Amino acid sequence: MALRDRHRRLTVYQGMKRMKSFIASCGIWWMGAARDAFCANPGSFDDSEDAVTPVSPRKMKASLSAAAVGKIKEDVPEPIRLPLVTQSMASRPSPKDINSPSFADLPDELITGILSHVGGEDVASSSALVCRQWGRIILMDDSLWKTLYQRDFFRGQDMGKSNLSATWREEYGREYRWRHGGVTERCYEGLSSHVYSVESDAKSDVVVGRSVDGVTRVWDRDGGECLQTLVGARLMSCVQCDEKKIVGASLDGSIAVWEAETRRLLRTLVGHSHLATCLQFDDQKVISGSLDRTIRVWDVHTGECLKVLSGHKSTVMCLKLNGSILVSGSNDGAVKVWDVETGECMHTLLGHKGWVSCVDVSSELVVSGSHDCGILVWSLATGKRIWKLRGHSGSVMCVQLRGKRIVSGSIDCTVKIWDLDARVCMRTLRGHKSYVSCVKFDNEKVLSGGDDGTVRCWQMIE
């Protein structure tokens, strides 16, 4: 008889452990029932087998909806199902019951532990349904949101060093919007040619688009009306610009550097034997790739060619500069990683089956997109391929890497958002009538420019 009672108590205890994942489905009313059971019989929550005490079904009585009762039938183990389901269910507890002293006086650590097993969206919406103590923890305990963030979005993996510009609660909201929220789309028109660059930082209320015919348009981000149109000097094969200067490659093979504010020509860089196809620059240097299969490094102040990087067997199609690290992609299907200071080729990355059209680099990863419709992710330190992302039905024309997320644009006219942890496409954004030529994103939105002459802003919302 004693053995049978011991077995029954252990079965109930194990069943309660299995019901931990059931908390989110039943909502805050199930938490109230669990609280009553804990207060009435704390020993039943002891982890040691000898201390296990069966919980009276009357103490576990909860006010659940018919749907919740059905959920119990599916999820609760058979030995404890009937006592929970067949007994009469009381009506929902009144606000007075919810705010009873025994509920409000639970230790903060216990409340945080309960909330850590509930979905983040349910936690965010439940602060008004419980006592002030719970609301305070939900709003102020950032460690709770860090736990929820790691559980829901990193699946228990090490997040590494996280340099947040906001609290974990705000970061959870942002990530949830990217994965599960809605998307609003706004289209900006007026450019008549291929859009090569789009800009709009988090603090700005304007969107800037630039096309290869030298025209730059500035739109109001929310209203969509064009605020300013700037016309360049001539047709260019590729252009890069910032708030200080504009660098453009003309069809005769030369590279011009203008002052951004006055449009005054500062200098002309001459050295490539064929058309320059891609550009990068910083405060000290301009880097250009060409049809002549070489990469040239120029002094931005004097116009002198400092280095010629050779190694590609075909046209250099794309460049990305990050500090002293330069990544290049070519029609030969190879991606090369260079030390700009020494001119040394650190890695040659082989894996694409078509020409490489776009690259990006961070402190740890290299990303490349290709005519083979695939996106490859490489280790910057070792040069080894880590992942391959497939989903586009056409050539990948542009990529941006930021943290654990990649945004790509393709000839298939779509923009895709990728989760590097799960290595899956989170979203596909459709709207462009021609291929997507450039993308840029931040914490709140994605900007894309297309060969159709339009710029589109995709805002992530609740």
Side-chain angles (χ1 to χ4, degrees):
M1 189 70 176
L3 182 62
R4 182 182 301 175
D5 289 341
R6 179 181 175 82
H7 176 72
R8 181 172 59 85
R9 292 197 302 269
L10 185 59
T11 301
V12 172
Y13 173 71
Q14 292 173 340
M16 290 184 64
K17 290 183 67 176
R18 288 181 55 188
M19 290 167 62
K20 181 173 65 175
S21 61
F22 180 57
I23 295 176
S25 304
C26 295
I28 197 64
W29 312 116
W30 175 258
M31 294 181 201
R35 176 214 64 203
D36 292 340
F38 176 84
C39 294
N41 198 352
S44 64
F45 287 81
D46 196 316
D47 285 337
S48 63
E49 291 188 4
D50 293 336
V52 172
T53 303
V55 179
S56 169
R58 296 183 182 276
K59 297 297 183 180
M60 292 298 294
K61 180 171 59 179
S63 55
L64 302 176
S65 63
V69 172
K71 182 66 176 173
I72 289 179
K73 293 180 179 180
E74 298 176 2
D75 292 354
V76 178
E78 181 67 30
I80 63 172
R81 182 186 299 167
L82 293 177
L84 283 174
V85 177
T86 58
Q87 60 181 312
S88 61
M89 298 297 178
S91 59
R92 286 187 174 183
S94 66
K96 180 179 179 181
D97 293 329
I98 292 179
N99 291 284
S100 61
S102 61
F103 189 81
D105 291 342
L106 288 176
D108 287 0
E109 294 78 7
L110 179 59
I111 298 174
T112 301
I114 293 173
L115 291 175
S116 68
H117 295 297
V118 181
E121 66 277 14
D122 296 326
V123 171
S125 61
S126 65
S127 59
L129 303 177
V130 295
C131 64
R132 292 181 181 179
Q133 183 185 10
W134 282 57
R136 175 180 57 79
I137 291 176
I138 291 171
L139 293 174
M140 304 300 294
D141 188 353
D142 217 32
S143 63
L144 167 64
W145 290 99
K146 183 177 181 180
T147 300
L148 294 174
Y149 187 92
Q150 184 170 11
R151 183 200 68 191
D152 292 350
F153 304 135
F154 279 78
R155 287 165 292 281
Q157 301 176 32
D158 182 15
M159 294 185 295
K161 295 181 179 180
S162 300
N163 298 319
L164 296 181
S165 58
T167 65
W168 282 107
R169 182 169 180 262
E170 293 170 328
E171 196 69 20
Y172 188 101
R174 288 175 180 172
E175 190 69 23
Y176 184 84
R177 289 194 294 272
W178 276 88
R179 294 170 182 264
H180 308 295
V183 179
T184 61
E185 176 192 1
R186 183 173 291 278
C187 180
Y188 309 94
E189 300 178 332
L191 295 173
S192 59
S193 184
H194 171 95
V195 180
Y196 70 84
S197 174
V198 288
E199 301 285 343
S200 180
D201 59 44
K203 298 179 180 179
S204 175
D205 58 356
V206 299
V207 171
V208 180
R210 302 177 179 91
S211 61
V212 295
D213 60 5
V215 177
T216 299
R217 282 185 178 267
V218 181
W219 294 276
D220 178 79
R221 190 175 69 188
D222 297 325
E225 63 269 19
C226 181
L227 304 177
Q228 190 176 15
T229 301
L230 306 173
V231 181
R234 51 184 167 173
L235 187 66
M236 295 171 283
S237 61
C238 56
V239 184
Q240 290 288 309
C241 56
D242 62 12
E243 65 277 3
K244 295 181 179 179
K245 54 185 173 290
I246 301 172
V247 181
S250 62
L251 299 181
D252 61 8
S254 64
I255 299 168
V257 182
W258 292 276
E259 188 176 44
E261 185 175 355
T262 64
R263 295 297 193 274
R264 179 173 62 92
L265 179 64
L266 299 177
R267 57 194 51 85
T268 301
L269 313 177
V270 180
H272 283 296
S273 59
H274 292 286
L275 177 73
T277 53
C278 47
L279 294 166
Q280 287 283 283
F281 71 91
D282 59 20
D283 292 337
Q284 303 299 323
K285 54 189 173 293
V286 173
I287 303 176
S288 57
S290 170
L291 283 170
D292 63 14
R293 307 180 184 180
T294 67
I295 300 168
R296 288 181 177 261
V297 182
W298 313 82
D299 188 307
V300 73
H301 302 294
T302 66
E304 177 188 1
C305 181
L306 303 176
K307 292 182 179 67
V308 179
L309 309 181
S310 301
H312 282 296
K313 299 177 182 179
S314 187
T315 302
V316 180
M317 296 298 297
C318 50
L319 297 170
K320 187 64 178 182
L321 180 66
N322 185 358
S324 63
I325 300 297
L326 175 70
V327 178
S328 61
S330 169
N331 271 355
D332 60 13
V335 177
K336 288 184 177 289
V337 181
W338 309 83
D339 185 328
V340 176
E341 302 300 328
T342 65
E344 176 190 1
C345 179
M346 301 166 58
H347 303 295
T348 297
L349 313 178
L350 301 176
H352 284 295
K353 298 179 181 179
W355 49 270
V356 179
S357 50
C358 51
V359 291
D360 201 358
V361 59
S362 68
S363 59
E364 298 178 352
L365 301 175
V366 175
V367 177
S368 56
S370 170
H371 186 64
D372 62 12
C373 309
I375 299 170
L376 298 183
V377 183
W378 318 77
S379 167
L380 177 60
T382 66
K384 294 183 178 180
R385 190 177 82 181
I386 305 175
W387 302 304
K388 183 174 184 178
L389 308 176
R390 296 197 65 87
H392 283 295
S393 59
S395 302
V396 180
M397 302 303 295
C398 48
V399 291
Q400 184 189 353
L401 166 66
R402 180 173 176 154
K404 296 293 186 179
R405 190 171 293 134
I406 291 175
V407 173
S408 60
S410 169
I411 279 182
D412 62 15
C413 306
T414 67
V415 175
K416 287 185 178 290
I417 304 173
W418 305 86
D419 175 12
L420 279 185
D421 285 323
R423 298 182 290 284
V424 296
C425 178
M426 295 164 53
R427 291 178 182 270
T428 298
L429 309 177
R430 295 179 172 86
H432 284 285
K433 302 300 188 294
S434 185
Y435 74 83
V436 181
S437 51
C438 56
V439 291
K440 187 168 185 178
F441 73 99
D442 56 26
N443 287 330
E444 308 294 338
K445 61 187 178 298
V446 175
L447 292 177
S448 60
D451 194 56
D452 55 8
T454 66
V455 174
R456 294 176 185 268
C457 178
W458 318 83
Q459 189 85 24
M460 304 301 152
I461 61 174
E462 295 291 348

